[in-house]
């Protein structure tokens, strides 16, 4: 009996202690969060897919942007960059973005023209005299109209990134006047304007994804291509091409795009930080791209296997005259609101 009474007394004392100490109000307060563990659970991950090398203007800009976002959001947002078409190619990245498999892409303007013809305006030859003219147009009404064209496709345009002006290369003969292009086949991005551009020169075209260009040139599937100096240099296209013409005839840039539903679902504060990082990256890219292209052109000029020619004013005029009919051809397709934002080449 004494044993039973002792056990009951022990249990009663234990319960009283629990009530007095274990369940006191301050014991039920919320414990401090472990910030590192909380970050792992709440971090927003953005998959950013692109198709160029990491050491190109776009590749470097993507890395720079990811770093800025990490700093600005205190690691609350992680930009996972997938370069070189690791996840998706030019032909598949837009569909992947719409599905939500990735959240961010930066396709060339030519690729965006497949989605909406408004973007064909960026491929018109000699439409922009220099980088300043490009920036002025994209920072103004032209840029607003281009981004607006993406809304009906449920894509959010957030920035314009630059890669500079395109040059011509081929493996057959120097390209100085329009007649030099006759009978040759050129790789192009998927743009109707680019098809018309080479038709005006008497050449044919093949639409080939960027990551297949080197192999196509090496095999002789195509004779030449057009590209920026940085792409020619980093992809070593000069190894397959004997001639290069500094023509600055076309412009290559990228529309930075988000999946619209994903973007709209982000907290306003995060959207603001992403926009800030994009603005800083865009300016950083403009400053560094020109210097990079100049340095790479100097290196290309040191090579013995490629002959580099710069168009004379007289040669350029012949190119311009050959291209002028393209403006009339695409005026209605692109639309007057956009076309009036640029001037015909002179």
């Amino acid at each position: 009996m004494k044993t039973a009474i002792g056990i009951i007394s022990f249990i009663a004392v234990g319960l009283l202690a629990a009530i007095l100490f274990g369940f006191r109000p301050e014991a039920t307060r919320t414990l401090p969060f472990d910030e590192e563990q909380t970050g792992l659970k709440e971090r927003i991950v953005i998959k950013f897919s692109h198709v160029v090398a990491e050491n190109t203007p776009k590749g470097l800009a993507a890395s720079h942007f990811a770093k800025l976002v990490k700093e600005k959001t205190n690691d609350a947002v992680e930009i996972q960059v997938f370069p070189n078409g690791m996840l998706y190619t030019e032909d598949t990245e837009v569909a992947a973005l719409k599905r939500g498999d990735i959240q961010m892409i930066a396709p060339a303007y030519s690729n965006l023209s497949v989605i909406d013809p408004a973007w064909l305006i960026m491929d018109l030859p000699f439409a922009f005299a220099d980088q300043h003219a490009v920036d002025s147009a994209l920072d103004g009404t032209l840029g607003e109209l281009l981004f607006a064209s993406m809304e009906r496709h449920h894509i959010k345009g957030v920035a314009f990134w630059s890669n500079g002006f395109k040059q011509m290369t081929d493996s057959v003969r120097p390209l100085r006047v329009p007649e030099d292009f006759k009978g040759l086949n050129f790789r192009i991005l998927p743009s109707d304007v680019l098809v018309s551009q080479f038709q005006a020169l008497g050449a044919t075209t093949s639409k080939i994804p960027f990551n297949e260009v080197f192999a196509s040139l090496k095999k002789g599937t195509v004779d030449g291509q057009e590209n920026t100096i940085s792409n020619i240099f980093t992809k070593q296209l000069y190894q397959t091409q004997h001639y290069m013409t500094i023509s600055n005839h076309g412009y290559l840039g990228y529309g930075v795009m988000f999946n619209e539903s994903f973007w709209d679902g982000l907290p306003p504060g995060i959207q603001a930080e992403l926009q800030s990082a994009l603005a800083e990256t865009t300016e950083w890219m403009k400053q560094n791209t020109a210097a990079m292209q100049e340095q790479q052109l100097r290196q290309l000029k040191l090579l013995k296997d490629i002959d580099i020619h710069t168009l004379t004013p007289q040669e350029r005029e012949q190119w311009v005259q050959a291209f002028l009919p393209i403006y009339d051809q695409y005026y209605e397709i692109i639309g007057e609101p956009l076309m009036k934002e640029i001037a015909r080449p002179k």
Side-chain angles (χ1 to χ4, degrees), residues 186-318:
F186 287 81
R187 175 267 174 177
I188 60 167
L189 283 160
S191 163
D192 290 343
V193 165
L194 297 182
V195 173
S196 297
Q197 170 187 279
F198 281 99
Q199 285 178 342
L201 297 171
T204 56
T205 55
S206 298
K207 298 174 183 178
I208 299 173
F210 182 65
N211 290 315
E212 298 175 19
V213 174
F214 182 89
S216 298
L217 292 170
K218 189 173 183 179
K219 292 177 183 177
T221 305
V222 290
D223 300 305
Q225 58 89 55
E226 58 169 12
N227 233 309
T228 60
I229 292 168
S230 65
N231 283 348
I232 293 168
F233 185 85
T234 57
K235 280 296 185 180
Q236 299 181 325
L237 303 184
Y238 55 84
Q239 293 184 2
T240 68
Q241 304 282 270
H242 302 308
Y243 305 98
M244 177 176 174
T245 300
I246 304 300
S247 52
N248 295 322
H249 64 280
Y251 187 77
L252 178 61
Y254 310 105
V256 184
M257 306 287 168
F258 271 85
N259 173 287
E260 186 179 64
S261 296
F262 176 82
W263 177 268
D264 290 343
L266 292 172
I270 294 297
Q271 289 181 352
E273 294 294 1
L274 289 173
Q275 289 283 23
S276 175
L278 283 164
E280 289 185 32
T281 300
T282 300
E283 287 305 311
W284 176 89
M285 190 178 189
K286 289 177 184 176
Q287 294 173 10
N288 286 274
T289 297
M292 179 188 299
Q293 308 264 24
E294 290 177 8
Q295 179 184 9
Q296 291 170 339
L297 179 57
R298 286 195 295 269
Q299 291 179 263
L300 286 171
K301 287 181 176 179
L302 296 175
L303 301 176
K304 297 180 180 179
D305 295 332
I306 184 167
D307 177 69
I308 301 175
H309 171 74
T310 300
L311 286 183
T312 66
Q314 294 77 18
E315 290 167 346
R316 181 184 182 279
E317 178 59 23
Q318 291 186 54

Side-chain angles (χ1 to χ4, degrees), residues 18-280:
I19 293 170
L20 293 175
F21 301 101
F23 299 114
R24 64 186 188 275
E26 58 267 35
T28 62
R29 70 182 185 273
T30 304
L31 296 175
F33 283 110
D34 181 329
E35 291 186 1
E36 291 187 2
Q37 295 302 317
T38 303
L40 289 174
K41 292 179 181 178
E42 298 181 354
R43 180 182 295 134
I44 297 170
V45 175
I46 298 174
K47 293 182 179 178
F48 182 1
S49 175
H50 67 78
V51 301
V52 299
E54 294 173 281
N55 59 341
T56 59
K58 180 164 66 172
L60 292 169
S63 298
H64 187 78
F65 172 67
K67 181 181 178 182
L68 282 179
V69 169
K70 179 181 176 71
E71 295 171 354
K72 287 178 177 291
T73 65
N74 195 26
D75 206 22
V77 179
E78 178 186 1
I79 307 293
Q80 295 180 351
V81 181
F82 299 90
N84 274 318
M86 289 170 56
L87 292 184
Y88 299 98
T89 65
E90 291 165 313
D91 297 333
T92 60
E93 63 181 1
V94 173
L97 182 78
K98 288 185 174 183
R99 290 195 306 268
D101 295 343
I102 49 179
Q103 292 73 48
M104 187 177 179
I105 58 176
Y109 300 146
S110 298
N111 288 311
L112 290 169
S113 74
V114 177
I115 305 171
D116 198 287
W119 293 82
L120 288 169
I121 196 168
M122 299 305 297
D123 282 330
L124 289 172
F126 295 117
F128 304 98
D130 51 30
Q131 185 64 50
H132 176 72
V134 175
D135 295 340
S136 296
L138 293 179
D139 289 342
T141 303
L142 180 63
E144 293 175 1
L145 291 171
L146 289 174
F147 277 161
S149 74
M150 291 288 98
E151 292 175 1
R152 57 180 168 268
H153 303 286
H154 307 292
I155 295 174
K156 172 69 176 180
V158 291
F160 296 104
W161 283 359
S162 60
N163 193 344
F165 287 86
K166 294 183 289 185
Q167 322 303 336
M168 294 286 192
T169 72
D170 85 301
S171 59
V172 180
R173 54 179 174 265
L175 304 171
R176 301 186 178 187
V177 295
E179 288 73 20
D180 296 329
F181 287 81
K182 289 183 178 179
L184 301 181
N185 184 259
F186 287 81
R187 175 267 174 177
I188 60 167
L189 283 160
S191 163
D192 290 343
V193 165
L194 297 182
V195 173
S196 297
Q197 170 187 279
F198 281 99
Q199 285 178 342
L201 297 171
T204 56
T205 55
S206 298
K207 298 174 183 178
I208 299 173
F210 182 65
N211 290 315
E212 298 175 19
V213 174
F214 182 89
S216 298
L217 292 170
K218 189 173 183 179
K219 292 177 183 177
T221 305
V222 290
D223 300 305
Q225 58 89 55
E226 58 169 12
N227 233 309
T228 60
I229 292 168
S230 65
N231 283 348
I232 293 168
F233 185 85
T234 57
K235 280 296 185 180
Q236 299 181 325
L237 303 184
Y238 55 84
Q239 293 184 2
T240 68
Q241 304 282 270
H242 302 308
Y243 305 98
M244 177 176 174
T245 300
I246 304 300
S247 52
N248 295 322
H249 64 280
Y251 187 77
L252 178 61
Y254 310 105
V256 184
M257 306 287 168
F258 271 85
N259 173 287
E260 186 179 64
S261 296
F262 176 82
W263 177 268
D264 290 343
L266 292 172
I270 294 297
Q271 289 181 352
E273 294 294 1
L274 289 173
Q275 289 283 23
S276 175
L278 283 164
E280 289 185 32

